[in-house]
Amino acid sequence: MVLSDSWRQLKTSLIAKFVLSLDGPSANWFGLNGLRAFESFEQLTTRFIQLFHRQVPQKDLIYQFYEAYQEQHETVSQFVIRFQNLQLQISKTIPDEELKDIFLEAIREPLRTTLVVFDFRNQSINQLIDKALAMDQTHKNKNTMNMSALHNNL
């Protein structure tokens, strides 16, 4: 099949727009492969979709991170894992002070109020997270002991 000049120009334009739209990991991937690695635009786009259709754009990850809150069903340790996973996926470096504020804002009550009482100015986000996990475990232990005492009294 022979392509007309206008069809070739259209394909060239599509390829150029596609390549210029790439960002982050997809741009790195294309930079490593280049056009020569693909026999056609269709092969390029098919391979791209296979590799990147599940990836969330960086701006969406940043939004998710700043808007992350401990869900009602989520334990503190589950939230910490989700918080840290989101943080690792973001290419933007967030200062420790800002991370601490985001984390404190995201934790549910009553733990948030209890944590705010402590002075974390000279401590890292990891120390704040460790304190939250320890306080949550202490709270769980007290609840378990209270339930045992209530059961024993019955």
Side-chain angles (χ1 to χ4, degrees), residues 12 14-38 40-41 43-45 47-48 51-52:
T12 303
L14 284 173
I15 291 169
K17 286 181 181 183
F18 175 80
V19 171
L20 290 173
S21 73
L22 298 177
D23 188 19
S26 60
N28 293 340
W29 167 78
F30 183 81
L32 292 173
N33 291 291
L35 278 177
R36 296 172 214 252
F38 305 97
S40 67
F41 180 68
Q43 185 185 38
L44 166 66
T45 55
R47 186 69 183 132
F48 175 83
L51 291 171
F52 296 102

Side-chain angles (χ1 to χ4, degrees), residues 104 113-121 123 128 131 135:
L104 283 171
T113 302
T114 309
L115 283 169
V116 170
V117 172
F118 292 97
D119 184 5
F120 287 100
R121 282 178 291 194
Q123 297 182 22
L128 173 60
K131 184 71 172 175
M135 291 175 77

Side-chain angles (χ1 to χ4, degrees), residues 3 6-16 40-42:
L3 294 176
S6 60
W7 184 245
R8 276 194 197 99
Q9 288 175 339
L10 177 61
K11 281 211 163 227
T12 303
S13 175
L14 284 173
I15 291 169
S40 67
F41 180 68
E42 290 77 19

